[in-house]
Structures are given as C-alpha cells and as structure tokens.
Amino acid sequence: MHESTPRQRIAGGLILLALLLQIAGFSGVINTTYAVSYGLWLAVVLLWRDIPLRSRRQAGVLIALGIGMLLVARWGYGARVDWPGIFTRNAFVVAMLVGVSFIALIGTQGNRRTEGQRVTGTGGVLRTWLGVHFLGTILNLSAVFMVGDRLSREKPLSTPQLLALNRGLSSAALWSPFFASMGVVIALVPNMQYGYVALAGFPLAMAAGLITTLELRRRFDLTEVEGFSLAPQSLLMPLCMAALVMLFHFWLTPTLSIVGIITFLLPTVALAFNLSQGPVYALRRIHQHSMTRLPAMRGEISLFLAAGLFTLGLSTLVDAATQEQWTLFAHFGTPEAMMSFVVIVLSAIIGLHPIIGVSTLASILALEGSEQTLFAFVALAAWAVGTAVGPLSGINLSLQGRYGTSGYYLMKHNLGYAALMSTLALIAIAVLAARL
C-alpha cells in the first residue's frame, strides 16, 4: 500500500469528522447537515486529482449539469434555490458508506479459521458466490478483495472466478440493508416497506447464485477452477449485524431510519471489537483506517455527492418549468415499473452508474403509498443487474484495477446473465405490484 500524502490524510480526517458529526446529529440536539456535507465535499476537492479519470469525468459532468440546471431554474423560471444547502443531497448516504467501511476493522483477512476447506469445480464456484454474497452484505466491496486475494495467491483469477465474485456481490444489492443501494433508495422513498422488498429481493438473489453456477458449469470446464469456502462461523458476523440493525430499528430506536442506524452502529461495533485489545491498539487502527481507507473511497464519495447535486438540479428545474404539475407517469404501476427497470439497466450497460438512473427517475415521479415500495424494488433490482453488467460500475472497475481484467470483458460475459436476471426481475416486479 502506498504511503498517503498530507493532502490525502487531511481529506481522510475530514471524512472521519463528517461521520462523527452525522452521528452527533442523530441526537437531535444540533443540526449538523451542512457541516457534514461541506466536510465531505471539501474532502472530494482535496482528493479530486486522485479520482480515476472515468469516474472524475462522470462526477464532473453531473456536478456541472446540476449547477447549470439550478441556475436555469433560478434565473430562467424564478425558482427559489437554497444555495447553501445544494450540497447536502446524499451526504447522509455517504456517511453511511463511511460508517460501513469501519466494519473492515473486524476483518477476518488472514484468519484461516474462517476459510473453510479448499474446493474446486461446480461446488467451488457456488461456494465462492455464497461467500462473497453473504460477507458482502456487510463488508461490501472489501468482501470481494478478501475472497479474490485468497483465490489469486497462486495464479491469476480465471473468468469463472471473476464472474462469481462480480455476481456474488452485485446481487446482494437486491436485499441487503447495508448496501449503498439501499441507502439511496431509502433516501428517495423513505416510506417504502423494507419487508416487502426483502421478501421479493432475497429469493431473486438466491436465483442469481443458482443461475451463475449452472451457467458457468455449462460454459466453462470447472474441473480445475478453485473455489473459496467460508467456515460456518464466518457467517456469524453478518447475521449478528443484521440482527442488531433490526433490534434497533424495531425496538430501541424506531424513529431512526435504517441508514441512520447503520451509520452509527457499525463503527461502534468495530470500535468495541478493537477496544478489547486496548485503547492504544484501537486508536492506532482507527487512525490507519482514516488515513488510508477513507481517502481511497474518493470515487464512491464523489459519485454519490455529484449524483445528489444532479438530482436536485433536475427536480428543481422540472418543478419550476412545469409549476410542479408534471410527472413522468401519472401512476406508477406494473408497466411503468418494468419500463423503468429496463431503462436503468440499459443506461448501466452504456456506462452510467445505476445511481444516476435511479435518482433521475425518482426526481420526475410523484410516488405515493405502495408506489414507493414498488419503486424501491425496481431501483434495487436494476442496481443489482446494472452493476453486474455495467463496464464502468464500481465492482467491475475494482476487479479491473486489482486483478487485471477488463470491465468490457466482464460485460460481454455477463450479458446473458443480465438478460435472464432481467426476465426474473420483471416477473418479480409484476408479482410484487399485484401484492401491494
């Protein structure tokens, strides 16, 4: 790992401060919204030159368009714009991402008791998918590196291994409350019912694992393809974290959103875990995480903040131009939901991150009641399929950078998977719409 520069360390400190301010704001004693967002944006400014070129261009275009549409809305249509507050969109989602990153301080990397037996063949592929999927529900992208690094110790990752990593993580977006996708969706439709979404999303995620295993067995000779099997005790951490979140959500802090609970709960658990080794050890690990891992999140942070600004600009301009009398669909039912899903997935294939399609769609819809839950599932399903197949998604860019593959190579091998998963997702959308 390269030594971080003073500029990067300052940015890491700002990101940590923003997280602490966000947690402090949950008390209701002080409003820290502006301070959190300004801290995160300032960190992005400091880290701008370090952001990969493609991500920087995408974020730059979103920022320019967002500000441009706000200017048009203000001076062309006389809309009222809260200029000091234009940078606050998606800041609390980013704070959640930062909070989730601290769970890596509990990490099991290098702990052989969590690795299970080494396996090959079809069973190995399935176990790789399961391991990445269930660890990824909590650890997010770091689960891919944990498993991928283990598999690539002796030789480069094969195509089946790369596809198992890709699909195992991306399909977790269908139901995991700890994913950035869920944070964005809850922010856009706060009254959505998570239970319905999870009941539809979890079976679809399991179908993704089955499809991956059967498809790769048909297309590749898996005899010598090594898989990764996690020991059963390694799944205790994701299960315990999910149980804790539900405990706080339904009993201890029912007025706090799931995003808010995750934001403070995961760093707290990570801190408590490390304090068992002594306060000096805990502080050293937190300092190292803040100075190295947090600045490394620059791509994610910049994209989510930029998408928030773009969404605000678009919704403000549309409302100003139409006097708040126009929405894309008068009613968000099955046909509209299916059409929205297809458009977001197609936009991901041409290189747009699903957050752009999801945020844009939400800004031009007037969703009420059960429509919010249906939209939430559409967004999560499109996110899961779109990030798997999209050549410029975070998972594919990460696999490209770490293991020397190509995002477009992965897209080519995922097109059939995306088509089949899209078919199942459209069926699930119809079933869910009929139930709501």
Side-chain angles (χ1 to χ4, degrees), residues 129-311:
W129 186 95
L130 288 170
V132 173
H133 184 83
F134 284 105
L135 281 181
T137 58
I138 300 290
L139 298 176
N140 287 258
L141 196 56
S142 59
V144 171
F145 297 148
M146 172 182 155
V147 176
D149 288 355
R150 173 69 179 82
L151 293 176
S152 62
R153 283 179 185 173
E154 297 178 0
K155 57 183 178 180
L157 294 177
S158 64
T159 299
Q161 289 172 322
L162 288 166
L163 294 175
L165 294 174
N166 163 291
R167 300 175 187 181
L169 184 72
S170 58
S171 55
L174 285 161
W175 65 277
S176 172
F178 307 100
F179 248 58
S181 56
M182 190 67 74
V184 171
V185 166
I186 292 175
L188 294 172
V189 283
N191 294 323
M192 74 92 164
Q193 294 178 280
Y194 172 74
Y196 279 105
V197 171
L199 284 174
F202 184 76
L204 194 58
M206 295 302 101
L210 182 61
I211 289 168
T212 296
T213 305
L214 295 177
E215 183 208 5
L216 295 184
R217 184 177 68 177
R218 179 180 60 83
R219 292 175 55 201
F220 300 94
D221 180 5
L222 302 179
T223 306
E224 299 301 322
V225 175
E226 184 180 349
F228 182 80
S229 177
L230 291 168
Q233 62 264 30
S234 64
L235 295 179
L236 285 176
M237 191 264 285
L239 291 174
C240 289
M241 290 307 306
L244 276 175
V245 170
M246 294 301 105
L247 175 66
F248 275 85
H249 179 59
F250 289 109
W251 288 286
L252 300 181
T253 56
T255 59
L256 195 59
S257 70
I258 288 181
V259 174
I261 292 169
I262 292 170
T263 302
F264 81 80
L265 182 60
L266 271 65
T268 301
V269 171
L271 177 61
F273 180 87
N274 284 275
L275 279 174
S276 65
Q277 303 294 318
V280 174
Y281 174 83
L283 287 174
R284 185 170 67 248
R285 292 208 71 192
I286 290 173
H287 178 266
Q288 181 183 30
H289 185 82
S290 302
M291 297 299 104
T292 56
R293 176 69 185 103
L294 296 189
M297 296 178 67
R298 53 191 174 266
E300 303 163 72
I301 293 174
S302 61
L303 181 60
F304 279 86
L305 291 178
L309 179 57
F310 170 79
T311 305

